[in-house]
Structures are given as C-alpha cells and as structure tokens.
Amino acid sequence: MSARAGVAVTGLGLIAPHGDDPQAVFDALLRGESAIRPVFPELPRPAAAATVAFDESRWFTKLQLSGVDRVSQLAVAAADLAVKDAGGLEGVEPERLGVFGGCGMGGANAIDNGYRNGMQGRMPPLTIPAFMPNAPAAHVAMRQQAKGPVFTYAVACSSSAVAIAEAAKAVQCGEVDVAIAGGSEALIVPGVVMAWQAMQTLAAFPAGDAQAAATAVRPFAPERSGFALGEGAAFVVLESEARARARGARRYATLAGWGHSCDATHLTKPDAAGQARAVRAALRMAGLQPQDIGYCNAHGTATKIGDPIEREALAQVWGAHLDALPVSSTKALHGHLLGAAGALEAVITILALHRRALPPQAHVAQPDPACALNLVRADATEAPALEAALSSSFAFGGSNATLLFRRA
C-alpha cells in the first residue's frame, strides 16, 4: 500500500504543567524535570498531580469567565497560542476552518462546585454548559470564529490523539483547509483524585514527601505503582503540505500516518494485539517499516498491568528489531493528562523530530524484565538521524490510537 499525502503541522500551543512555551517545555523534559507535586493533603491517602500555573486574565475578562470551566479556559489559551505560532488565520474562510477537540471527562471543576453548592440550594445556573465535554471545542470555535466542523471526541485517554487524526483526515480529504486540533483536561479536584485512587492506578509515595512525589511515576520500572494525574491543554494547527508551502509556513513535522483499533476484550484491561493493530495501521498508512521509526513516545502509564502489555504490543510489531527502538514515557514528568494526553505527547513527539532530540525516560534505573525496552537514557538524548517517530495512546474502553510523524 502506497503512503498517502501527509498533513503539515504548522503551529503548536501548550498550556502544560511545565509551562506554555513548547520549546521550554521540551527543554524541561530533556533535563528530566518533574512537574508532579503533592496535592490535597486533607485526603485520607497521599495524592500527587501535575497542575498548571494559569493566568486566565490573559485570555478572558471577568465577565467572559462566567460559566467557563477551567477545562475550556485551558483549551482556548492553548488553541490561541497554536494559531499565533502558525502565523494566524489570515486568508482562511471561516467555513473552511475546523476545530477537533479531545476531552475525556469534561468540566470537573464545574460539576464539583455544582454538587457542593447545590446541596446548599445554590446551584450555579451555568453548570450544565460549563461541564459538558464539548464546551472546550465550542469555546475554541467561538474564539477563532471557526464555522466549519467543530467536533469533540471523548475516548478516554485516546481522546485528543483521535481528534488530531480525525482533523488530519478532514484536511487530507479537503473537508477543511485548516484544522485546530488537540485536547484539554482539568480534573484535579478531590473527588476525581479519590476515584482514581479507588481504582488503585495512582502512584504511591509517603505522605508529606515532595521529592518522593516528584519521582513516584516510574514507567516500566520494577517498582512502578501507577501514574499521577495531570492537567492542561495542547493544540496543533494542521494544513495540507501544499498550502503550508504556498504561504511559506514553518513546518514542524508531517503527520504521515495514524491508526485506530479496539481491543473489544475488556473495559479497563488492555490487550497487546489490539494495540499492535493500531501501530501497524499507522505504519501502513505512512508507508514505513518498523525499522524506520527512530523514537516511540509510549503510553507508559506505570501501572503493573499496562506497561508489560504495551511492551508486548511493540514486540509484536518490531520483533527482533525491538531493541533498536528508543522508547520513553514522558508521563513520568508531566503526569497523565487523560483526554489531553495524546495531544501533549504528540507535541512532544513533534518537537523530538524537529529538534532531533529524545526525551529521556525519567526515574527508571533498569526496566522490569517484563518491560524490557530500549529506554532513552539521560546521556543519550541526541538523535541526529531521527526521521520518523510515533506516539501512542491506549484508552479505557479498549480504544487505541497511534500517530506517526515524519520530519518536515
């Protein structure tokens, strides 16, 4: 099967735990700096998360903030930064501009506040539009005057990776000229944290130990105990290669392939064969072989069950060549952004290609033998020959998404 025409990535926008400058965020990851900190000391069990220092006044007046949950605020800001990074939208007809957003759980702050106030008879009247999952994409559309397709994908941890793939498909088939694609998530509220703790998926650390919290997420390590939640938003601007060249736009990378699959086996337990199908589909679309990939930004949630299965999925695709594939999971440093994870990790993968540098695997001295992978070392981040890289997101519900990027 011949490769389809790729889609150019011309703008990047982040509101992330490490900041809002994509290059500075990438530098922090290269240095192995963790943004994970203890949160909610009042909870019965220690909790940690990667939160965002966000000044909403840069994008909203006090009046505009009424009924706009944090998840939508972050989305508006990240999308705006991506559009500005791409050089603006001059010459784009509003009807030919689309927004494709991923959001796993909607406005957690709004629903948490609604329940608290509602029990006292003071339910905020804008609670519903504040917490609905499609609010972030709708707010981005209003801010950017996007009058083409505006879609939200709620596919748990694969949400924003799916959104980027669907946006690329719309550009590729000519449905839109430009797509603003990515995701947003803002779930750091006590109830959500306790719900994830109840599933026994969050990393454990001693109470009151900030350093232990910062290094608690250890993907692929023998002592791994789970992930830490993160919040933030990440968006990219996508357009055809021809359009990008015609306007002299900077191209960070080309989205050359993507793959989707469903395990169809279990709601929360992943399946290696299903994950491998998504990876193979992305390779097939891009017209590449496994040996052509120089970096994999793994889903890598640091759970006891998930990491060995992901390793098995990669082994099914790479076979005897697996040891030559550099792998890292940056969730060790920025936490798991759930519905926004795929977009943030896509931006990181794009920058790895653009700068020919690989984020190292933090907090792992030696991988668990069950997760034996070629993890990127802190002293081996330079990748002068890097030409293609992929980022995978494997979600509850068994929905898998892989994005494959080539150097522009």
Side-chain angles (χ1 to χ4, degrees):
M1 178 180 176
S2 60
R4 301 183 187 180
V7 176
V9 181
T10 56
L12 306 176
L14 294 179
I15 301 292
H18 287 92
D20 61 13
D21 179 337
Q23 302 293 342
V25 168
F26 192 75
D27 286 338
L29 297 176
L30 289 179
R31 293 191 298 268
E33 294 180 5
S34 176
I36 298 169
R37 304 286 185 269
V39 294
F40 308 132
E42 71 274 16
L43 296 184
R45 293 163 56 188
T51 58
V52 167
F54 179 62
D55 179 7
E56 63 271 14
S57 67
R58 289 175 59 189
W59 284 275
F60 296 89
T61 65
K62 268 193 171 183
L63 183 61
Q64 288 173 325
L65 282 171
S66 177
V68 183
D69 187 86
R70 184 174 176 86
V71 70
S72 295
Q73 297 169 27
L74 299 176
V76 166
D80 187 57
L81 290 172
V83 167
K84 289 174 178 172
D85 189 49
L89 296 171
E90 185 177 354
V92 182
E93 296 179 12
E95 295 81 3
R96 302 287 298 166
L97 174 64
V99 176
F100 299 75
C103 186
M105 301 182 78
N109 289 273
I111 198 166
D112 190 63
N113 290 334
Y115 285 149
R116 291 173 185 272
N117 292 322
M119 293 299 290
Q120 301 173 25
R122 300 193 304 271
M123 176 65 73
L126 297 178
T127 298
I128 293 293
F131 82 72
M132 61 188 193
N134 67 318
H139 280 287
V140 171
M142 288 187 287
R143 184 61 62 100
Q144 301 297 336
Q145 284 298 288
K147 298 182 179 179
V150 176
F151 296 140
T152 296
Y153 300 87
V155 198
C157 308
S158 293
S159 297
S160 53
V162 170
I164 290 171
E166 291 297 301
K169 190 186 301 181
V171 170
Q172 201 175 59
C173 74
E175 184 179 357
V176 298
D177 292 332
V178 175
I180 305 167
S184 181
E185 203 78 275
L187 300 173
I188 315 303
V189 297
V192 172
V193 171
M194 292 177 71
W196 282 101
Q197 286 180 330
M199 284 200 73
Q200 300 183 14
T201 58
L202 297 189
F205 65 96
D209 192 333
Q211 180 57 33
T215 59
V217 181
R218 301 179 177 185
F220 308 113
E223 70 278 13
R224 66 191 183 279
S225 60
F227 55 85
L229 292 173
E231 67 173 354
F235 279 81
V236 297
V237 173
L238 302 177
E239 55 192 293
S240 70
E241 290 273 17
R243 186 181 190 280
R245 287 196 183 95
R247 70 183 187 90
R250 171 189 50 208
R251 292 175 296 135
Y252 285 102
T254 298
L255 178 50
W258 51 88
H260 303 302
S261 70
C262 185
D263 297 342
T265 57
H266 195 277
L267 199 64
T268 59
K269 182 181 178 181
D271 176 67
Q275 295 178 3
R277 286 195 298 274
V279 175
R280 288 195 187 100
L283 287 164
R284 189 165 53 246
M285 181 183 290
L288 296 178
Q289 297 299 313
Q291 304 92 294
D292 298 322
I293 304 302
Y295 171 62
C296 170
N297 186 293
H299 187 57
T301 55
T303 58
K304 287 291 185 184
I305 293 176
D307 287 6
I309 290 175
E310 183 168 9
R311 190 269 177 194
E312 173 58 25
L314 293 174
Q316 288 182 18
V317 179
W318 266 260
H321 300 282
L322 182 59
D323 288 345
L325 175 68
V327 176
S328 67
S329 169
T330 50
K331 288 183 178 72
L333 301 173
H334 55 62
H336 191 349
L337 273 66
L338 303 180
L344 174 58
E345 290 160 29
V347 169
I348 292 166
T349 305
I350 289 163
L351 288 171
L353 273 170
H354 185 65
R355 293 178 49 170
R356 283 184 160 161
L358 308 181
Q361 181 56 67
H363 314 147
V364 181
Q366 290 291 332
D368 184 339
C371 308
L373 290 165
N374 177 18
L375 299 180
V376 179
R377 304 190 318 272
D379 62 351
T381 59
E382 294 184 6
L386 185 63
E387 291 291 337
L390 61 82
S391 177
S392 289
S393 299
F394 303 134
F396 277 4
S399 293
N400 308 305
T402 294
L403 303 175
L404 193 158
F405 298 94
R406 299 190 72 164
R407 186 172 162 85

